[in-house]
Amino acid sequence: MMAVPNDSRPPIVAMVGGGQLARMTHQAAIALGQSLRVLAVSPDDPAAQVAPDVVIGAHTDPEALRKAASGASALTFDHEHVPTELLEMLVAEGVTVAPPPEALVHAQDKLVMRRKLEALGAPIPRFTAVSGIEDVDAFSEHIGGAPIVVKTVRGGYDGRGVVLTRDLAHARATVEGYLADGVAVLLEERVAMRRELSALVARSPFGQGAAWPIVETVQRDGICVTVLAPAPGLPDEVAAEAEQLGLRLAAELGVVGVLAVELFETTDRALLVNELAMRPHNSGHWTMDGAVTSQFEQHIRAVLDYPLGDTTAIAPVTVMANILGAQEEPSMGVDERLHHLFGRIPEAKVHLYGKAARPGRKVGHVNVVGTDLDRVRERAERAAHWLSHAQWTDGWDGHA
């Protein structure tokens, strides 16, 4: 349902999932005079804490989905886990689903995604589907004995469902364990890479596209810890290639909204597509303070088919550092940690998600904008570590 021309009521965007992406999308909606409707599992979910229009229910419950979509101009996503058949049901009932299910499936199913990208001629690592343990030996021979990555076809994120195997025996044992549990997997060759990049783009139903600068994502234990915007030292021609690839995939796949194309930059400067995400993405959090239009506002513009916003960076450098739960929760409260942080690093822009801390869990992020990459990165990462651990990485004592 699209808004009626000259209707005094603002359009409603409904988002499936009540996590931090929905919370920050709601913040962007407020500035546009709107309120995000959220389908959340619990009133304690990050978005449910702040949005006034909340439906409590599961993303696998048809009636909960119908209730969330009722009267909404568009239904979009905080995560990709809604079963395709339920989304097709909503489309058949007249709901505008953005991105549509035929696009979203490429972010839900890695094997469908790999096959489609291969058909489109997009650069990807060599891969194969797995039906039995013998496929591991055949694939290893096909790639000349190179290291193998085992991925679950559905459901993996933040390093879950991805195993970088040590050798052929480890690959066989990993696949055997997954198959015994009834979990579908695929195999990929492990590429020799310089670093990981992300091409963040957006596309509207009208077909307008927009791309932000290419960023470098720094990973630790399969989790993104830092994003450097723009990616330092990236040749202009490689950056342009990555932006064009993102825009082409958004158009070819029929994406509506934000699309993150996670990339490997290989040791010989080639680009390979690693993953796709069709929603606001961790690699785009820097845009909240470092770009003219944030990914969250852009996502709303796109799903409502508004003209897209300017994606230009507002400073030479922006660094985003994730605030990850420490192994032990500090005795110092968050309020006092913020007090000390702002006293020492006043330019830090903090975004907390309202989530209980657990080791390694993303509970917020810090953006720092500036001109010198080393200084900006140091201060962003120091601020994020302080908020996680209540310890300064350089041993500084604010009371001394």
Side-chain angles (χ1 to χ4, degrees), residues 59-212:
H59 63 270
T60 54
D61 180 352
E63 292 311 311
L65 289 167
R66 285 190 174 106
K67 186 175 181 182
S70 178
S73 297
L75 179 78
T76 189
F77 307 96
D78 168 277
H79 60 73
E80 293 103 343
H81 305 312
V82 183
T84 302
E85 59 271 19
L86 295 184
L87 296 179
E88 291 172 341
M89 171 199 76
L90 293 174
V91 171
E93 294 173 0
V95 176
T96 298
V97 176
E102 61 270 22
L104 187 65
V105 67
H106 298 97
Q108 296 174 317
D109 188 304
K110 292 183 177 63
L111 188 55
V112 170
M113 180 263 290
R114 281 282 178 252
R115 287 170 170 162
K116 181 65 171 180
L117 294 181
E118 184 178 50
L120 293 174
I124 56 174
R126 289 180 288 182
F127 75 99
T128 189
V130 175
S131 57
I133 196 69
E134 65 278 0
D135 294 324
V136 181
D137 295 328
F139 184 66
S140 178
E141 184 176 351
H142 174 64
I143 63 174
I148 292 174
V149 181
V150 181
K151 291 185 176 182
T152 57
V153 170
R154 285 180 173 261
Y157 67 98
D158 280 352
R160 299 175 180 86
V162 177
V163 180
L164 309 179
T165 63
R166 298 182 299 273
D167 50 34
L168 181 58
H170 185 209
R172 287 174 58 91
T174 301
V175 168
E176 191 171 34
Y178 276 126
L179 294 180
D181 292 336
V183 177
V185 296
L186 60 82
L187 307 177
E188 291 181 2
E189 68 172 321
R190 186 173 180 179
V191 301
M193 65 174 181
R194 297 182 72 249
R195 55 181 170 176
E196 294 189 48
L197 304 172
S198 179
L200 194 74
V201 302
R203 180 177 178 274
S204 70
F206 181 73
Q208 184 186 8
W212 286 270

Side-chain angles (χ1 to χ4, degrees), residues 182-341:
V183 177
V185 296
L186 60 82
L187 307 177
E188 291 181 2
E189 68 172 321
R190 186 173 180 179
V191 301
M193 65 174 181
R194 297 182 72 249
R195 55 181 170 176
E196 294 189 48
L197 304 172
S198 179
L200 194 74
V201 302
R203 180 177 178 274
S204 70
F206 181 73
Q208 184 186 8
W212 286 270
I214 304 301
V215 302
E216 178 178 347
T217 61
V218 181
Q219 314 287 323
R220 186 174 65 228
D221 299 327
I223 299 175
C224 177
V225 292
T226 305
V227 172
L228 312 176
L234 188 66
D236 290 345
E237 63 273 17
V238 179
E241 178 187 350
E243 288 183 20
Q244 289 302 315
L245 176 61
L247 291 168
R248 178 169 79 88
L249 292 180
E252 296 272 14
L253 298 176
V255 174
V256 173
V258 168
L259 168 69
V261 182
E262 298 180 59
L263 299 163
F264 296 136
E265 182 187 7
T266 67
T267 51
D268 58 359
R269 290 283 192 190
L271 298 176
L272 298 175
V273 178
N274 178 27
E275 305 281 358
L276 301 178
M278 296 183 191
R279 50 171 171 75
H281 190 256
N282 193 217
S283 68
H285 289 352
W286 71 274
T287 64
M288 298 176 76
D289 301 294
V292 175
T293 307
S294 79
Q295 65 166 342
F296 300 103
E297 179 184 333
Q298 195 81 297
H299 191 71
I300 292 174
R301 289 197 193 201
V303 301
L304 292 176
D305 210 7
Y306 292 168
L308 299 181
D310 185 348
T311 52
T312 305
I314 63 173
V317 175
T318 304
V319 174
M320 187 281 299
N322 279 320
I323 303 168
L324 305 175
Q327 289 299 315
E328 293 186 14
E329 179 69 4
S331 58
M332 182 186 295
V334 173
D335 178 65
E336 188 175 356
R337 278 178 259 167
L338 286 170
H339 184 100
H340 285 280
L341 172 67

